[in-house]
Amino acid sequence: LAATSPEVVVPGARPVDKVAGLSEAEMTLRFERSVPVVLTDAQAGWSARSKWTFQWMHDNFGQEEMVVSDMAPFFPHTDRGKIQTVSTSMREYMRYVLGEINGLRCLQRDDDKVFYGNGWAPFKEHESLLEDVSDRLYCVRDSIPRGAGPAREFNTTLTKVFMGPAGTVSRLHHDTYATHVWLSQIRGRKQFICYPPVDTECLHCFEGDETEGRTSLFDPSAPDYDTFYKARSARAYSVIVEEGETVVLPSKWWHWAKSLTPS
């Protein structure tokens, strides 16, 4: 596997602000105005920043079952019969990510069809992992309650750890329940290419229930404007989220993401 993957250059793409020390009022205003941001200080105090290495995952969660796919996230309209999904152990997947001898590489159908582990939700079974991170942002008034019962089930199901080698891609979508979303980059570098909700009609998205999120086959890394002709009018934003940074996207912001290094 390649150790790095090149940044995608989108002509005319706008930057995303990188800031620190946002107040709750300032963050709420960004949500109200639908303005994305990268927080450079949201991981302050997280022991995961030094602790969560690929080798540490290999050594401490090696027996965990991982479901990895070469197309992510799953698009029910188009992926059946095309996606390759494999069940493997964390130990084997970490070897794959690190480029060590493993049993996954021989299953990879193409160099750019790398396997992405984008579904691991460990916090229900391994509550101690929450001691290494936080499931809240310091500047966000979160409406999802903590506590036992359905609230805990809902929160731990939505809180995931994404892992993969350089070149893993999350295809263009916005998230389930039309929630605000955030991702903290603990290891590696990841590029996000985003589009505001007002450009939804330009992205040739599949119609569907908003609670399941929305998806589009438009690929900003290799734009096919003959097929997706309206996408020329969509206003792209591009940002590289560095190790230790956190990207926050308001409700219904479309995003495409690629790991530029193992992540």
Side-chain angles (χ1 to χ4, degrees), residues 57-120:
M57 290 290 180
H58 173 282
D59 295 344
N60 289 274
F61 296 94
Q63 298 299 325
E64 283 282 305
E65 181 181 355
M66 294 284 294
V67 177
V68 301
S69 300
D70 62 1
M71 300 170 76
F74 176 68
F75 288 3
H77 304 84
T78 59
D79 288 356
R80 300 186 195 282
K82 298 179 181 178
I83 189 172
Q84 182 178 201
T85 299
V86 177
S87 179
T88 186
S89 68
M90 174 74 77
R91 180 176 295 110
E92 195 71 9
Y93 189 58
M94 291 298 95
R95 290 172 180 159
Y96 172 76
V97 170
L98 293 171
E100 300 173 355
I101 296 174
N102 65 87
L104 279 176
R105 184 64 180 88
C106 63
L107 301 177
Q108 192 174 314
R109 295 183 289 186
D110 205 340
D111 286 345
D112 63 352
K113 289 282 189 180
V114 292
F115 289 110
Y116 191 12
N118 70 324
W120 192 44

Side-chain angles (χ1 to χ4, degrees), residues 8-11 172 193 195 203 217-234 236 256:
V8 174
V9 177
V10 180
L172 193 60
I193 299 173
Y195 300 88
L203 296 175
L217 289 176
F218 175 67
D219 181 356
S221 70
D224 176 2
Y225 291 121
D226 290 332
T227 302
F228 303 99
Y229 57 93
K230 291 188 288 186
R232 289 186 182 276
S233 300
W256 176 99

Side-chain angles (χ1 to χ4, degrees), residues 144-162:
I144 297 178
R146 278 194 170 103
R152 179 179 179 275
E153 182 79 18
F154 184 72
N155 199 33
T156 55
T157 300
L158 285 181
T159 307
K160 298 179 181 179
V161 180
F162 297 163

Side-chain angles (χ1 to χ4, degrees), residues 7 13 31-32 39 41 57-58 61 76 82 92 100 138 160 166 171 174 196 207 217 223 229 235 238-239 252 260:
E7 176 185 354
F31 285 143
E32 291 172 350
L39 301 173
D41 59 347
M57 290 290 180
H58 173 282
F61 296 94
K82 298 179 181 178
E92 195 71 9
E100 300 173 355
Y138 69 87
K160 298 179 181 179
R171 294 177 294 172
H174 78 63
E207 296 298 328
L217 289 176
Y229 57 93
R235 294 163 294 175
S238 179
V239 65
K252 300 184 182 181
L260 304 183

